[in-house]
Amino acid sequence: MGSVSLKIGDGTARFRRATVCSSAVNILMIFSVITTNLFALFAFTSSPKDLHTHHLLHKNFSLISEQVTLILREIDLSQKKLAQIEKDLLGYESIDLSRNNTANELKLFLHRHHLPLGKDSKTGITEMVSSVGHSCDKSSDLLSQYMSYKVSGPCLNDWSVAQKLVLKGCEPLPRRRCFAKTISKVGLLHPFPTSLWEPPVNNTVNWSGLGCKSFECLKGKKLSRDCIGCFDLVNGYENQKFVKSRSKNDFLVDDVLTLGGGGIRIGLDVGGGSGSFGAVMAERNVTVVTTTLNVGAPFSEFIAARGLFPLFLSLDHRFPFYDNVFDLVRAASGLDGGGRQEKLEFLIFDIDRVLRGGGLFWLDNFYCVDEEKKRVLIVLDQVSHRLCYQQCFKSL
């Protein structure tokens, strides 16, 4: 009936969940049935002088039955323990709504709602089931905090709580019945395409939960390997990225578009920093979706203020796009989210899924800091699309 594998260090711990236990149960049940039938046959065919012997046999049989019952009970208990170990190791666990600290809104959201007219003829479903990340169960206190609000009232200014949940694997988040905090941006946003390289004003952003409270504070900060001064759109290198090369490893946007043969219209930028790749592509009539999180800075609002498309999404989440829809996917060092080789492989294959046949995958200066990361690049050879990736080099 299957097994559960877990990589631990360099070895593999394998738990046979049902195969061994099921075999033992079947053998014991067969033995018990055969023994019972033999005893019954012997009892009905014996003479009265053997009654004493029958009594001894009955006593022995009772002892055997008790031992079999105890063994079956232990096997059942072992199966339950193994099932719990599997849940603990894999993290798959349904959310326990019976906890005292569970918010009522969370219970209502997760409640199964039956369709009023019964089974839907087109989809075949009979009830609506809400979607929420399975790892939310491991952050129940934080989730209840997120789902505690006044219905039809303003939501708390708790975007940072939502992001903490996302980073803990609680994705997608449950929906809420409150109005998100809004900031009036009327008259403060620049028209497109001026907005691509015109710095947004400070009061168009929600700065709560962030160390910096202005874009001036962010200009000189190193927020990641790909975001060093990436909020400086005027004096820094940001407005020259992808247009002028800084090393022999750099591809330029126009060269990449030439490889596409005029068929590049929509793209996906995985972990695209402040959105400058999307801005450069927008100047060339290519629409780019940029995945981002607000780690240390208001990336999402900054990208949106530039007239671009931010997608608030962690790299552990399956891309919410249909198969074979993007002409171009770009990824840089943000592709390396940590963890083992298999985790990165899942991400690469999901990129392959959303990239159309004949599309381009641009692996931009991916830092191969160890042999394991280099081996991941072998996976790219399995991708059937044309690949456009820069030389992989070791970080100094």
Side-chain angles (χ1 to χ4, degrees):
M1 293 180 64
S3 62
V4 180
S5 296
L6 174 71
K7 287 291 185 68
I8 301 177
D10 294 328
T12 299
R14 181 173 294 272
F15 296 90
R16 296 284 182 183
R17 182 178 59 184
T19 305
V20 177
C21 293
S22 297
S23 300
V25 171
N26 292 334
I27 292 173
L28 287 171
M29 289 181 66
I30 293 173
F31 174 76
S32 179
V33 171
I34 293 174
T35 305
T36 303
N37 283 290
L38 288 175
F39 178 78
L41 179 64
F42 185 74
F44 285 107
T45 58
S46 301
S47 59
K49 62 181 180 179
D50 297 325
L51 289 177
H52 180 69
T53 305
H54 291 171
H55 176 73
L56 293 177
L57 287 173
H58 178 73
K59 184 177 180 180
N60 291 334
F61 178 73
S62 299
L63 292 174
I64 293 174
S65 298
E66 290 177 4
Q67 291 298 320
V68 170
T69 303
L70 289 174
I71 293 173
L72 291 174
R73 190 178 302 165
E74 287 295 325
I75 291 174
D76 182 63
L77 183 61
S78 297
Q79 286 181 318
K80 292 179 179 179
K81 288 182 178 179
L82 286 173
Q84 186 59 47
I85 290 174
E86 177 186 338
K87 291 179 180 180
D88 294 339
L89 292 175
L90 297 180
Y92 289 93
E93 178 69 77
S94 59
I95 297 177
D96 184 6
L97 299 180
S98 64
R99 294 190 179 104
N100 294 330
N101 63 340
T102 303
N104 290 329
E105 280 293 284
L106 180 60
K107 295 179 180 178
L108 184 61
F109 175 77
L110 294 179
H111 181 72
R112 293 173 179 265
H113 299 277
H114 293 277
L115 299 181
L117 300 179
K119 184 178 180 179
D120 182 76
S121 59
K122 293 182 178 179
T123 61
I125 63 174
T126 58
E127 58 184 9
M128 299 298 293
V129 182
S130 302
S131 176
V132 66
H134 71 270
S135 293
C136 292
D137 184 68
K138 295 182 178 297
S139 305
S140 57
D141 292 338
L142 203 60
L143 183 61
S144 290
Q145 178 184 342
Y146 175 74
M147 292 298 291
S148 297
Y149 54 85
K150 182 180 179 181
V151 177
S152 299
C155 298
L156 299 176
N157 189 12
D158 57 357
W159 72 265
S160 58
V161 174
Q163 181 164 275
K164 287 178 182 177
L165 285 167
V166 168
L167 291 173
K168 290 178 178 290
C170 183
E171 191 177 26
L173 288 169
R175 288 174 174 170
R176 300 197 292 186
R177 296 189 297 166
C178 58
F179 297 101
K181 179 179 174 60
T182 58
I183 297 177
S184 177
K185 302 180 182 182
V186 178
L188 299 177
L189 299 176
H190 303 291
F192 192 87
T194 305
S195 60
L196 292 175
W197 301 106
E198 190 69 27
V201 295
N202 292 325
N203 52 355
T204 60
V205 171
N206 179 11
W207 295 97
S208 66
L210 296 172
C212 283
K213 304 300 180 183
S214 68
F215 290 118
E216 288 73 20
C217 172
L218 290 172
K219 285 182 179 179
K221 287 188 174 295
K222 179 180 179 180
L223 298 172
S224 69
R225 188 181 292 125
D226 294 322
C227 183
I228 303 174
C230 66
F231 284 88
D232 189 352
L233 303 182
V234 179
N235 300 315
Y237 175 69
E238 201 67 13
N239 56 11
Q240 300 179 40
K241 264 186 176 181
F242 315 110
V243 179
K244 295 182 179 180
S245 61
R246 301 181 71 178
S247 71
K248 63 180 181 180
N249 296 311
D250 290 339
F251 275 130
L252 303 182
V253 162
D254 292 330
D255 296 334
V256 174
L257 292 178
T258 300
L259 290 174
I264 306 299
R265 304 151 302 148
I266 55 175
L268 174 65
D269 191 11
V270 180
S274 61
S276 292
F277 177 73
V280 172
M281 297 298 276
E283 293 177 322
R284 290 156 177 78
N285 298 318
V286 177
T287 301
V288 171
V289 177
T290 304
T291 69
T292 183
L293 288 173
N294 288 356
V295 179
F299 287 99
S300 297
E301 290 168 292
F302 188 82
I303 293 171
R306 300 178 73 176
L308 303 171
F309 191 154
L311 180 63
F312 192 77
L313 188 77
S314 76
L315 295 186
D316 290 322
H317 194 288
R318 184 178 188 266
F319 293 123
F321 303 111
Y322 194 65
D323 301 354
N324 309 308
V325 293
F326 287 104
D327 305 312
L328 169 70
V329 177
R330 174 190 169 270
S333 61
L335 191 69
D336 184 9
R340 295 186 62 82
Q341 173 184 342
E342 293 82 1
K343 182 178 180 181
L344 183 53
E345 288 180 359
F346 275 113
L347 178 55
I348 291 176
F349 276 103
D350 201 32
I351 289 175
D352 175 76
R353 179 185 63 81
V354 300
L355 185 61
R356 68 166 172 81
L360 298 179
F361 176 36
W362 183 352
L363 185 58
D364 190 356
N365 284 302
F366 179 71
Y367 284 76
C368 297
V369 295
D370 52 37
E371 292 299 322
E372 187 170 89
K373 296 297 186 299
K374 291 180 182 179
R375 287 196 299 271
V376 171
L377 296 181
I378 300 175
V379 178
L380 298 176
D381 293 334
Q382 304 177 36
V383 179
S384 60
H385 315 285
R386 293 170 57 189
L387 297 179
C388 170
Y389 60 90
Q390 297 179 354
Q391 179 182 353
C392 176
F393 60 92
K394 190 170 184 178
S395 175
L396 298 178

